[in-house]
Amino acid sequence: MRYLTKAMILVSMTLSAAIFGFFYAWVCSTMWGLDAADPRVAIQAMQAMNASVRNFVFAPAFFGTPVALALTAFLLMREDNRRSAMAFGLAGGVYFALGLLLTMRINVPMNEALAMVSVPDDAASARAIWQDYLLGTLAVLEPDTDDHVRCRVSAGGFRRDAAGAETGLRCG
């Protein structure tokens, strides 16, 4: 197996693990913690987190994961390692559709709308704003469902990466 292919397997797995870890922590601590806080604090904290996540440390994991997975799939296919190529390609396609695009289509507009909100002084008004934000993640489903989808997709992608890496590294 060529060095570039092995390096891309490692890069793909690292980025997949990083984005899974981000969404996992978001689901099981961040949103629950914010929901337990005073809604005025939760709104301000969410506004600050949404503004700070747009940075050069987060970007490679969020935007680079599907690119790395696709490149890894291409390299593996070129080496006639179809099984591993399919695993990485599937992981990249699923993350792109249900991780990246889901975020861009649902969460980014919601976050931009929340950024424009002035936090009210009274807790009842803030609670209404916060609940609308939580319920808006996917209006037809339970609150925070899109975060769960992104977490599951990221975990599944990492498992597919691991399967692809195991057969890819064995064949090289």
Side-chain angles (χ1 to χ4, degrees), residues 93-130:
V94 169
Y95 172 75
F96 180 75
L98 296 176
L100 194 142
L101 290 181
L102 178 69
T103 301
M104 300 305 287
R105 183 166 163 91
I106 294 175
N107 296 92
V108 170
M110 286 177 39
N111 295 343
E112 289 174 348
L114 188 66
M116 303 305 290
V117 169
S118 295
V119 180
D121 291 332
D122 68 290
S125 296
R127 186 171 294 105
I129 292 168
W130 182 246

Side-chain angles (χ1 to χ4, degrees), residues 47-88:
Q47 289 171 330
M49 286 186 284
N50 288 336
S52 72
V53 78
R54 296 174 182 170
N55 63 63
F56 71 94
V57 176
F58 179 69
F62 184 73
F63 295 107
T65 297
V67 174
L69 291 166
L71 179 56
T72 302
F74 171 77
L75 292 170
L76 286 163
M77 188 63 83
R78 212 176 63 180
E79 294 179 10
D80 204 29
N81 192 334
R82 296 180 196 285
R83 188 174 187 181
S84 293
M86 291 299 292
F88 279 94

